[in-house]
Amino acid sequence: TPVSKADIEYFSGLGVSVVHSEEPLEARYNVDALGKYHGNAQVALFPTTTLQVSDILAYCNQRRIGVVTQGGNSGVCGGAIAHRGEVILSLRDMNKVRDMDVISGVLVAESGCVLEDLDNYAQKQGYTVPVDLGARKKCMIGGNVSTNAGGLRYLRYGSMHGSVLGLEVVLPDGQILDSLFTLKKDASGYDIKQLFIGAEGTLGVVTAVAISLAPKPRASQLAVLGLQDFSKIQRAFVLARQYLGEIVSAFEFWEKRCNELTVEYESVDSLLSNSHEFYVLIETRGSCLRHDMEKLDTFLECLQGEKLIDESRVVRDAEDMDKTWLFRSQMAHAHSKSGHMHVYDFSLPSKHQYELLLAVKSHLEQAGLYGKPGLPVSDVTIFGHVGDDNIHLQVIAREFGGVVEETMEPWVYEWVGSHGGSVAAEHGLGSHKGQFLKYSKSP
């Protein structure tokens, strides 16, 4: 149902900030992070309380007005875009920390808290938020929960399903479901909150989160490796788990072209002196630097002994570690600057990950779209999180959609499904990928 003047008056009467126009609202409300998905919302609402969210959803449910929930709008699957003129329910003004238990390390925050701000708050108390993403300056904790965000340290801290202790959710009819439990043990029946983690707002709007924090590490260090073969990355990961054990917190990889694009489009220096076919970034987090240094040095000696690496660099200075992580975090942005980035987010068994890159390149070459200057596709790259089998595939084209998307889809989803993978690892389904879910899950 279209939004009427009377509807606007009702929303305003709730004390909710309202932005509305006769034309589609500006791009920050109607365009996704990559510029691929465009909506046509004319109304955006900005509640500050859970009760206001309840009143809005109850009213819209009764009036049959469509609603799309929006946080930081940092997603890349179009899930926060109003494609059919729905009302945007923005949670950006619900950004308070409600409680912090410094003994148990449990934080209760509203959904509009920006991830980086929340982590800065937690660190002042001696803790850190267990999820960390490249979009940390923009994404919000409610969206992280609703998409079951994985991120850079999934290897160490696991998924939101394990970190979230409780949720406050407003159901589509306006009913408030209060399961904002803050204790770590509860065997009193169904764990209802799990239904909303990763549901992308389809079952209700998450308004507050109780999350178990991790202790802020007393010692951190990074190692950057240069390798010439993907199989050597796999072997290095096996050895990392054996030699670094409990202190390894991240194990990232990217290939040569990713490195070149980041250097070119972000105007930064490469992390290593020489060029390599593959790069690996390993992070350790522990409580004793001397102990962790010994572990890392022994691990690197083992890699060298097995001739797995051609170059390595250890980073222990805090400022240099920030710069190193920034390089990795800028990678997707660099790709988007180089052209129109079709991004694919898969879980895939390690043995098939590099095979995927070769298969995609071959498929596009056979279609006459890639492999020579001037063709529609300029680059095909992969990078990802080795520790959780999450791989990001980028196809850089002249434009979104068109012959490139028609050639890639559903072919790439079928390929991933036939090799035991998932069509959505951490970005969610959004408005686009639901049609491909059948390739990795039974109907």
Side-chain angles (χ1 to χ4, degrees):
T1 304
V3 179
S4 67
K5 183 178 179 180
D7 297 328
I8 298 296
E9 291 175 351
Y10 175 81
F11 296 138
S12 298
L14 296 175
V16 173
S17 295
V18 181
V19 174
H20 64 97
S21 171
E22 296 299 321
E23 301 295 328
L25 299 176
E26 59 188 288
R28 61 174 169 159
Y29 302 116
N30 274 321
V31 182
D32 79 308
L34 295 180
K36 180 179 181 179
Y37 299 101
H38 295 254
N40 52 7
Q42 296 176 302
V43 178
L45 308 177
F46 302 86
T48 58
T49 69
T50 301
L51 186 58
Q52 288 177 339
V53 174
S54 173
D55 289 339
I56 290 168
L57 291 185
Y59 181 84
C60 289
N61 183 64
Q62 184 179 19
R63 288 270 294 118
R64 308 292 294 173
I65 297 172
V67 177
V68 170
T69 309
Q70 193 172 97
N73 196 19
S74 59
V76 295
C77 299
I81 301 301
H83 300 274
R84 295 182 291 274
E86 299 96 332
V87 167
I88 289 176
L89 180 65
S90 172
L91 299 181
R92 73 175 192 192
D93 293 340
M94 293 188 65
N95 53 21
K96 299 179 182 65
V97 173
R98 293 186 183 176
D99 187 47
M100 170 71 194
D101 188 330
V102 296
I103 305 299
S104 63
V106 176
L107 181 144
V108 180
E110 294 179 340
S111 287
C113 291
V114 174
L115 179 59
E116 185 174 69
D117 295 341
L118 208 57
D119 189 56
N120 289 338
Y121 178 92
Q123 292 208 29
K124 292 178 182 178
Q125 313 295 324
Y127 292 92
T128 185
V129 178
V131 64
D132 187 24
L133 311 174
R136 67 183 68 84
K137 293 181 180 293
K138 189 177 181 182
C139 66
M140 298 174 184
I141 193 66
N144 300 151
V145 170
S146 296
T147 57
N148 190 24
L152 303 170
R153 297 188 176 95
Y154 191 103
L155 172 64
R156 176 69 172 271
Y157 300 123
S159 74
M160 302 299 281
H161 282 290
S163 299
V164 172
L165 302 178
L167 294 176
E168 179 185 80
V169 182
V170 181
L171 302 181
D173 62 358
Q175 180 182 348
I176 298 173
L177 177 63
D178 184 0
S179 63
L180 207 56
F181 201 69
T182 59
L183 300 179
K184 297 178 181 179
K185 296 186 76 173
D186 178 22
S188 59
Y190 297 116
D191 193 1
I192 299 296
K193 69 175 183 295
Q194 300 294 350
L195 293 174
F196 300 95
I197 299 173
E200 300 184 46
T202 57
L203 301 178
V205 176
V206 175
T207 51
V209 180
I211 187 167
S212 178
L213 303 175
K216 180 181 178 180
R218 297 177 63 87
S220 297
Q221 54 184 343
L222 301 175
V224 186
L225 313 177
L227 311 90
Q228 293 304 313
D229 188 86
F230 190 76
S231 64
K232 293 183 177 181
I233 296 177
Q234 296 170 315
R235 175 60 180 163
F237 177 62
V238 171
L239 293 173
R241 289 189 294 179
Q242 293 175 356
Y243 281 81
L244 300 176
E246 77 285 352
I247 66 171
V248 63
S249 54
F251 196 108
E252 301 289 297
F253 90 94
W254 59 93
E255 43 103 358
K256 183 178 182 179
R257 188 58 182 148
C258 296
N259 207 74
E260 292 172 345
L261 289 172
T262 306
V263 169
E264 178 180 357
Y265 287 95
E266 298 299 327
S267 300
V268 293
D269 293 330
S270 179
L271 299 179
L272 294 176
S273 300
N274 301 311
S275 178
H276 304 275
E277 289 301 315
F278 295 96
Y279 297 80
V280 163
L281 173 62
I282 300 172
E283 180 190 65
T284 71
R285 288 183 153 198
S287 59
C288 176
L289 182 58
R290 178 181 57 81
H291 172 266
D292 296 352
M293 287 171 61
E294 291 176 359
K295 277 195 165 188
L296 183 59
D297 290 344
T298 302
F299 166 68
L300 293 176
E301 289 173 5
C302 179
L303 296 184
Q304 292 165 351
E306 291 197 18
K307 298 181 179 180
L308 297 177
I309 58 175
D310 299 315
E311 185 181 359
S312 65
R313 173 173 163 249
V314 175
V315 184
R316 294 185 172 114
D317 176 77
E319 185 176 343
D320 287 343
M321 285 194 291
D322 288 342
K323 290 179 180 178
T324 302
W325 269 121
L326 182 62
F327 185 95
R328 168 61 182 85
S329 298
Q330 289 175 322
M331 208 161 283
H333 193 228
H335 279 72
S336 66
K337 286 182 178 180
S338 72
H340 291 76
M341 180 172 68
H342 295 73
V343 60
Y344 298 94
D345 162 55
F346 301 128
S347 283
L348 193 63
S350 178
K351 61 184 178 181
H352 297 309
Q353 290 177 1
Y354 188 59
E355 185 183 345
L356 170 65
L357 177 65
L358 300 179
V360 171
K361 286 184 175 181
S362 176
H363 181 68
L364 291 172
E365 285 174 352
Q366 291 176 17
L369 300 175
Y370 173 72
K372 296 179 182 179
L375 293 179
V377 175
S378 59
D379 280 299
V380 181
T381 70
I382 56 170
F383 61 84
H385 321 297
V386 175
D388 54 30
D389 289 329
N390 182 190
I391 187 169
H392 300 297
L393 169 72
Q394 291 71 228
V395 176
I396 311 302
R398 291 176 186 165
E399 61 183 2
F400 288 122
V403 65
V404 173
E405 189 167 297
E406 291 171 1
T407 303
M408 284 294 296
E409 302 172 12
W411 174 85
V412 71
Y413 294 105
E414 291 178 315
W415 193 98
V416 168
S418 68
H419 288 77
S422 169
V423 302
E426 64 178 2
H427 292 171
L429 295 174
S431 61
H432 182 65
K433 289 192 288 185
Q435 60 187 311
F436 307 119
L437 189 59
K438 61 186 179 182
Y439 295 115
S440 60
K441 287 190 176 181
S442 299

